[in-house]
Amino acid sequence: MNNIEQIEKTLTELYQKYLPSSEGHTASYIPELAKADPKKFAIAAVTVDGKSFSIGDKEYLFTLQSVSKPFVYGLALETHGRELVLSKVGVEPTGDAFNSIIELERQSHRPYNPMINSGAIAISSLIKGPNLNNRLQQILNLFQSYSGHAHSIDENVFNSEKKTAHRNRAIANLLLHFDIIDHDIEETLDLYFKQCSILTDTVDLATMAATLANGGIQPVHLNRVLSADHARDILSLMFTCGMYDTAGEWAYTVGLPAKSGVSGGLIAVVPGVMGIAVYSPLINDHGHSVRALNVFRDLAKIHNLSVFSSGVR
Ligand code: DON
């Protein structure tokens, strides 16, 4: 009922509709991200059979930020298996902000899930290697296998986050205190900040999302990036936790597994069908791109994309 041509037409209309929007603000707690050009806006979709559509600033490069989290979680699952990963990071939504420290301290002593910062830092610490470069290379290789090409790091964003990451440093210290991560806190944080500073464009993000939609097989090169079971695990967590303290509202209005990043990227997965990505650096107070939220809410409604829809419309 929904073919890619119909989706393309809707995405083109939604691009035009939200292009004039100036709602939201660039991320200010990482000073380098605050400098982003608020006019940048791109939308891309990639189907599980490798067809793609994109519009706007589709080749403009920005940093992954939290959109990296589900993919690095997948690498940890592939490397260590579920049991070990679950012993370090849970699978429950928090209802708190992405950078909250409250539940970790008050109750759980283990990060609730890998989409919030505490969980993602714990997951980065599971990417083992003889040194930081080796560990980073594993993550860069991972993103290359998803996108089909090599990625580099935005060193300015990395340094900017490293300098101002007082909250993440507090989280890492608590994680050490609770025996979730090892003593090399600064190296683990560096790895996490580097993974957040990997440069990508909107088409890459849609291709990465399409790989998850396709059960772990990259839809263009047809290489298996991760097992179907682990792809499903990631999608479950993106659904329940990917949008943090607005996961409920997102599930209600859009109904798709998703992940946002404070630089302005947002991906959503239509399982078995396609991956969609929107980039616009104007975010709301929950850390989600405002234009992207609007595009996904309208798109899901028009095409009945929620995973809970009956398919009848
Ligand atoms: O740890 C941080 O604060 C950032 N590097 C990533 C946060 C982020 O993208 C939150 N998502 N919307």
Coordinates of all heavy atoms in Angstrom, one line a residue, residues 29-30 65-67 69 98 117 161 168 192 196 244 259-263 286-288, ligand 1:
Y29 N 25.3 23.0 25.4 CA 26.2 22.5 26.4 C 27.5 21.9 25.8 O 28.4 21.7 26.5 CB 25.5 21.5 27.3 CG 25.2 20.1 26.7 CD1 26.1 19.1 27.0 CD2 24.2 19.9 25.8 CE1 25.9 17.8 26.5 CE2 24.1 18.7 25.2 CZ 24.9 17.6 25.6 OH 24.7 16.4 25.0
I30 N 27.5 21.7 24.5 CA 28.7 21.4 23.8 C 29.0 22.6 22.9 O 28.3 22.7 21.8 CB 28.6 20.1 23.0 CG1 28.3 18.9 23.9 CG2 29.9 19.8 22.2 CD1 28.1 17.5 23.2
Q65 N 26.7 11.9 17.6 CA 26.2 12.1 19.0 C 25.5 10.8 19.4 O 25.9 9.7 19.1 CB 25.4 13.3 19.1 CG 26.2 14.6 18.8 CD 27.4 14.7 19.7 OE1 27.5 14.3 20.9 NE2 28.5 15.3 19.2
S66 N 24.3 10.9 20.0 CA 23.6 9.7 20.6 C 23.1 8.8 19.5 O 22.7 7.7 19.9 CB 22.5 10.2 21.5 OG 23.0 10.8 22.7
V67 N 23.1 9.2 18.3 CA 22.6 8.2 17.3 C 23.6 7.1 17.2 O 23.3 6.0 16.7 CB 22.4 8.9 15.9 CG1 22.0 7.9 14.8 CG2 21.4 10.0 16.0
K69 N 24.7 5.5 19.7 CA 24.5 4.5 20.9 C 24.0 3.1 20.5 O 24.5 2.1 20.9 CB 23.7 5.2 22.0 CG 24.4 6.4 22.7 CD 23.4 7.1 23.5 CE 24.0 8.3 24.3 NZ 23.0 9.1 25.0
F98 N 18.3 12.2 29.0 CA 19.4 11.4 28.6 C 20.7 11.4 29.5 O 21.4 10.5 29.5 CB 19.8 11.7 27.1 CG 20.3 13.1 26.9 CD1 21.7 13.3 27.0 CD2 19.5 14.1 26.5 CE1 22.3 14.6 26.8 CE2 20.0 15.4 26.3 CZ 21.4 15.6 26.4
N117 N 23.0 8.3 28.6 CA 24.5 8.5 28.7 C 25.2 7.4 29.6 O 26.2 6.9 29.2 CB 24.9 9.9 29.1 CG 24.6 10.9 28.0 OD1 24.0 10.6 27.0 ND2 25.0 12.1 28.3
E161 N 33.5 18.8 23.6 CA 32.7 18.0 24.5 C 33.6 17.5 25.7 O 33.2 17.6 26.8 CB 32.1 16.7 23.8 CG 31.4 15.8 24.9 CD 30.4 14.9 24.3 OE1 30.4 14.6 23.1 OE2 29.6 14.4 25.1
N168 N 29.0 14.0 32.3 CA 29.4 12.7 31.9 C 30.6 12.1 32.7 O 30.7 10.9 33.0 CB 29.7 12.7 30.4 CG 28.5 12.6 29.5 OD1 27.5 12.1 30.0 ND2 28.6 13.1 28.3
Y192 N 34.0 7.3 24.2 CA 32.6 7.7 24.1 C 32.5 9.1 23.3 O 31.7 9.2 22.4 CB 32.0 7.8 25.5 CG 30.6 8.4 25.5 CD1 29.5 7.7 24.9 CD2 30.3 9.6 26.0 CE1 28.2 8.2 24.9 CE2 29.1 10.2 26.0 CZ 28.0 9.5 25.4 OH 26.8 10.1 25.4
C196 N 30.8 9.8 19.6 CA 29.8 10.8 19.4 C 30.2 11.8 18.3 O 29.4 12.5 17.7 CB 29.5 11.6 20.7 SG 28.6 10.6 21.9
Y244 N 14.3 8.7 25.1 CA 14.4 9.1 26.5 C 13.1 9.4 27.2 O 12.2 8.6 27.1 CB 15.3 10.3 26.6 CG 16.6 10.3 25.8 CD1 16.9 11.3 24.8 CD2 17.5 9.3 25.9 CE1 18.1 11.2 24.1 CE2 18.7 9.2 25.2 CZ 18.9 10.2 24.3 OH 20.1 10.2 23.6
K259 N 16.1 6.8 17.2 CA 17.2 7.4 18.1 C 17.5 8.8 17.6 O 17.7 9.0 16.4 CB 18.4 6.5 18.0 CG 19.5 6.9 18.9 CD 19.1 6.5 20.4 CE 19.6 7.4 21.4 NZ 18.9 8.7 21.5
S260 N 17.6 9.6 18.6 CA 18.0 11.0 18.3 C 19.4 11.3 18.8 O 19.9 10.6 19.6 CB 17.0 12.0 19.0 OG 17.2 11.9 20.4
G261 N 19.9 12.4 18.3 CA 21.2 12.9 18.7 C 21.2 14.4 18.9 O 20.4 15.1 18.1
V262 N 21.9 15.0 19.8 CA 21.8 16.4 20.1 C 22.4 17.3 18.9 O 22.1 18.5 18.9 CB 22.5 16.9 21.4 CG1 21.7 16.6 22.6 CG2 23.9 16.4 21.5
S263 N 23.1 16.7 18.0 CA 23.6 17.5 16.9 C 22.5 17.7 15.9 O 22.6 18.6 15.0 CB 24.8 16.8 16.2 OG 24.4 15.5 15.9
H286 N 14.5 18.3 25.1 CA 14.8 16.9 25.4 C 15.9 16.4 24.5 O 16.3 15.2 24.6 CB 13.5 16.0 25.0 CG 12.3 16.4 25.9 ND1 12.1 16.0 27.1 CD2 11.3 17.2 25.6 CE1 11.0 16.5 27.6 NE2 10.5 17.3 26.7
G287 N 16.5 17.2 23.6 CA 17.6 16.9 22.8 C 17.2 16.3 21.5 O 18.0 15.7 20.8
H288 N 16.0 16.5 21.0 CA 15.5 16.0 19.7 C 15.3 17.1 18.7 O 14.8 18.2 19.1 CB 14.2 15.3 19.8 CG 14.0 14.3 21.0 ND1 15.0 13.4 21.3 CD2 13.1 14.1 21.9 CE1 14.6 12.7 22.3 NE2 13.4 13.1 22.7
Ligands
DON1 O1 27.0 12.6 26.0 C1 26.5 13.6 25.4 O2 25.9 14.5 26.1 C2 26.5 13.8 23.9 N1 27.8 13.4 23.4 C3 25.4 13.0 23.3 C4 24.0 13.3 23.8 C5 23.0 13.2 22.8 O3 23.1 13.2 21.7 C6 21.6 13.1 23.4 N2 20.6 12.8 22.4 N3 19.7 13.4 22.0

